[in-house]
Amino acid sequence: MRNLRGKLLGTITCIIILLVLHQTLKKWKKRSLHDEVQVAVVNQPVHGQSNDEHHRENSVHKVVNKPVHDDSNLYERALDMNYAQKVHNVNKFGEHTSGTAVILIQVHDRAVFFTHLIDSLRVVRGIEKATIVISMDKFSTEINDIIATIDFCRYITIFFPFAMQLFPSSFPGEDPNDCSRDISRTEAIARKCNNAEYPDSYGHYREVRYVQIKHHWLWKLHMVFSGMKVLADGKSPVLLLEEDYYVFPDILHCLELGIAFRESKCPRCDLISLGNYEPRQDYSTLANHVDFNAWTSTKSNMGMVITKQFYDKLAACTDMICDFDDYNWDWSLQAASLSCMSGGVFTVQFKASRVYHFGTCSGMHNSANCNVGDHMRNVKSKLNSANLFPTSLHVAADDPKPAINPRPNGGWGDLRDRTLCKKYKTLCESALKS
């Protein structure tokens, strides 16, 4: 127990130092990052090292230079972006209006799909009233060039400040002394690699490219609801999209219908799910049909509409979400909804999806058989025959049963990930106060 407390203390110390760094960099924005900024890297004590030894070693701050990139100012650029929160195209579309829709897009580096998403948003009815927030975790010329083509609405760019691109050789990226995924716990302890005593539920150690997705998803929510000045009143519904989605022209129309319908017909429903994964979509007879059912990670996580009221519930369950041993944000949310949120989470689920996912062409399990042209032809054929812009909604089914408690998939056993995950709200609030 004493050893565990020591490890947790060391981890918390690491996060406190990162918080101090975050504030310090804000003050140093105009100065060279490589010349002026150093990071105190405080890892958990290795196996066999006493907490006193660990404390003495780090009380003088074992200091290493910030990693050098092709552009040594990447980290500073990320922080500048998050503090500036520049709203683009204000001269054309005016300031963000309280209560109007926000479209929050999580972007990594799949430029081809991101182009199609932006093209689909361009023709959405009412898009000129919305504000797009693009949350990135990788600096990419291609992605930046695509963002620069957005001339049809306001947009803001933010950057996940703990992305592996910014920390290529230290946590939250991959530290050279991190335990490899498949090493046994016994061997890990013998090698004294980082977090050796805490593999996941299946005996594996962290893989950065997977854990980053959950980190980024949670951080961006905290940033939008707790860290952005133009959205500080919390009255705007937030539509969650990802770079490999494609949306239908009536998605904002359906969002507005769904919000009004939820308030009048399903007070227990916290969310709206504008997308689904059904292989056969009926846009002729089911275009205005919705189900009231429990939110589940495998059916309801696409095209989610989140309000400040639900975000507050989620934020109150941060410990549960961050401690659940699953690298998937959606499985973690489902687990939290059953154990932390009274009565579970229910959603207004659209029967005819307004969001298309490029599926095998994207995500963590890419397919060699992916053909973007085939996917686009499939989407456009659906659009050509779709009965869009319904004037009202109809309840197809009302299922009061709660979701099933999910079995964790693992990949989230590292105490450093769990501790950092719990600090995002505080970090984002600092941006709002700046």
Side-chain angles (χ1 to χ4, degrees):
M1 181 62 71
R2 180 179 301 173
N3 194 32
L4 175 58
R5 286 199 299 269
K7 292 176 183 295
L8 289 173
L9 179 61
T11 304
I12 293 169
T13 303
C14 173
I15 304 307
I16 291 172
I17 291 172
L18 285 171
L19 284 169
V20 173
L21 170 66
H22 195 269
Q23 291 296 325
T24 302
L25 281 174
K26 174 190 166 186
K27 299 175 183 177
W28 290 351
K29 286 195 291 185
K30 302 302 181 183
R31 302 168 69 180
S32 167
L33 178 67
H34 179 58
D35 292 340
E36 302 292 343
V37 178
Q38 293 180 316
V39 182
V41 179
V42 185
N43 291 316
Q44 301 169 61
V46 296
H47 181 72
Q49 181 185 36
S50 72
N51 187 55
D52 288 342
E53 291 171 334
H54 178 67
H55 176 75
R56 284 197 303 271
E57 180 182 30
N58 291 292
S59 61
V60 293
H61 294 171
K62 183 176 64 176
V63 176
V64 297
N65 287 325
K66 239 352 226 124
V68 180
H69 310 271
D70 292 337
D71 180 349
S72 63
N73 290 320
L74 286 182
Y75 191 69
E76 187 176 354
R77 285 172 58 194
L79 293 181
D80 281 353
M81 191 184 300
N82 294 339
Y83 280 107
Q85 301 176 17
K86 180 180 178 180
V87 184
H88 298 263
N89 296 332
V90 172
N91 59 330
K92 187 174 181 180
F93 300 102
E95 299 289 348
H96 176 81
T97 303
S98 176
T100 56
V102 172
I103 301 172
L104 176 56
I105 308 172
Q106 183 164 329
V107 177
H108 182 53
D109 65 357
R110 295 188 284 273
V112 172
F113 304 118
F114 186 46
T115 297
H116 289 303
L117 172 60
I118 296 302
D119 287 344
S120 70
L121 286 167
R122 186 180 299 276
V123 296
V124 168
R125 184 185 295 179
I127 191 64
E128 71 280 357
K129 300 176 183 178
T131 299
I132 293 177
V133 177
I134 300 169
S135 184
M136 302 180 288
D137 60 31
K138 186 175 182 180
F139 282 105
S140 161
T141 300
E142 285 184 286
I143 296 296
N144 289 338
D145 288 345
I146 296 167
I147 293 172
T149 68
I150 300 176
D151 57 3
F152 50 85
C153 69
R154 291 176 299 273
Y155 73 89
I156 304 168
T157 56
I158 57 177
F159 198 98
F160 176 51
F162 297 101
M164 57 185 179
Q165 184 189 36
L166 306 182
F167 295 86
S169 58
S170 62
F171 180 84
E174 184 174 351
D175 190 296
N177 194 46
D178 280 350
C179 303
S180 59
R181 177 187 183 273
D182 296 321
I183 191 174
S184 70
R185 182 174 181 273
T186 301
E187 187 176 356
I189 290 173
R191 291 186 181 183
K192 300 182 180 180
C193 55
N194 297 332
N195 201 54
E197 295 192 11
Y198 300 96
D200 68 11
S201 302
Y202 305 94
H204 300 303
Y205 293 95
R206 76 190 298 260
E207 294 178 273
V208 179
R209 61 178 177 152
Y210 295 146
V211 300
Q212 175 171 283
I213 298 171
K214 179 174 174 177
H215 276 296
H216 186 176
W217 191 88
L218 290 166
W219 175 84
K220 75 180 183 188
L221 280 192
H222 289 303
M223 189 64 182
V224 164
F225 284 105
S226 293
M228 299 197 71
K229 302 174 184 67
V230 298
L231 308 177
D233 67 3
K235 294 182 179 179
S236 294
V238 177
L239 168 61
L240 303 184
L241 299 177
E242 297 182 16
E243 64 184 6
D244 55 354
Y245 288 177
Y246 189 95
V247 301
F248 281 28
D250 67 343
I251 190 167
L252 290 180
H253 173 81
C254 290
L255 180 153
E256 293 177 357
L257 277 182
I259 289 174
F261 201 66
R262 176 184 66 84
E263 292 174 350
S264 63
K265 301 295 184 181
C266 189
R268 77 176 187 278
C269 292
D270 291 295
L271 302 171
I272 299 168
S273 298
L274 294 168
N276 66 62
Y277 296 98
E278 293 298 326
R280 295 182 180 180
Q281 299 285 338
D282 182 352
Y283 292 97
S284 58
T285 60
L286 298 180
N288 70 332
H289 284 51
V290 297
D291 290 339
F292 299 155
N293 50 241
W295 186 92
T296 59
S297 61
T298 56
K299 295 181 179 180
S300 315
N301 68 350
M302 185 163 62
M304 292 167 54
V305 180
I306 291 182
T307 62
K308 179 63 162 58
Q309 290 71 30
F310 178 74
Y311 164 75
D312 288 340
K313 290 184 179 181
L314 182 148
C317 295
T318 292
D319 285 358
M320 172 65 201
I321 294 170
C322 293
D323 285 336
F324 188 67
D325 185 14
D326 199 310
Y327 64 88
N328 298 290
W329 64 263
D330 45 0
W331 286 66
S332 303
L333 178 57
Q334 183 173 331
S337 73
L338 296 169
S339 61
C340 181
M341 300 179 191
S342 178
V345 174
F346 286 81
T347 188
V348 177
Q349 177 76 61
F350 275 69
K351 300 283 285 184
S353 182
R354 264 52 180 200
V355 184
Y356 183 85
H357 183 219
F358 280 104
T360 57
C361 283
S362 61
M364 294 176 290
H365 309 291
N366 297 323
S367 169
N369 299 319
C370 172
N371 186 307
V372 179
D374 289 345
H375 279 264
M376 288 307 306
R377 282 187 286 274
N378 183 27
V379 173
K380 290 179 179 179
S381 68
K382 296 179 188 296
L383 281 172
N384 291 335
S385 59
N387 182 20
L388 303 180
F389 298 97
T391 57
S392 61
L393 297 178
H394 171 75
V395 181
D398 186 343
D399 186 352
K401 295 194 301 293
I404 298 173
N405 198 19
R407 180 184 179 186
N409 290 299
W412 194 264
D414 200 306
L415 295 181
R416 296 171 299 173
D417 286 317
R418 297 183 179 195
T419 305
L420 178 59
C421 176
K422 296 172 185 178
K423 296 296 180 181
Y424 289 143
K425 190 172 189 294
T426 301
L427 283 170
C428 293
E429 287 172 343
S430 70
L432 184 60
K433 296 173 183 175
S434 64

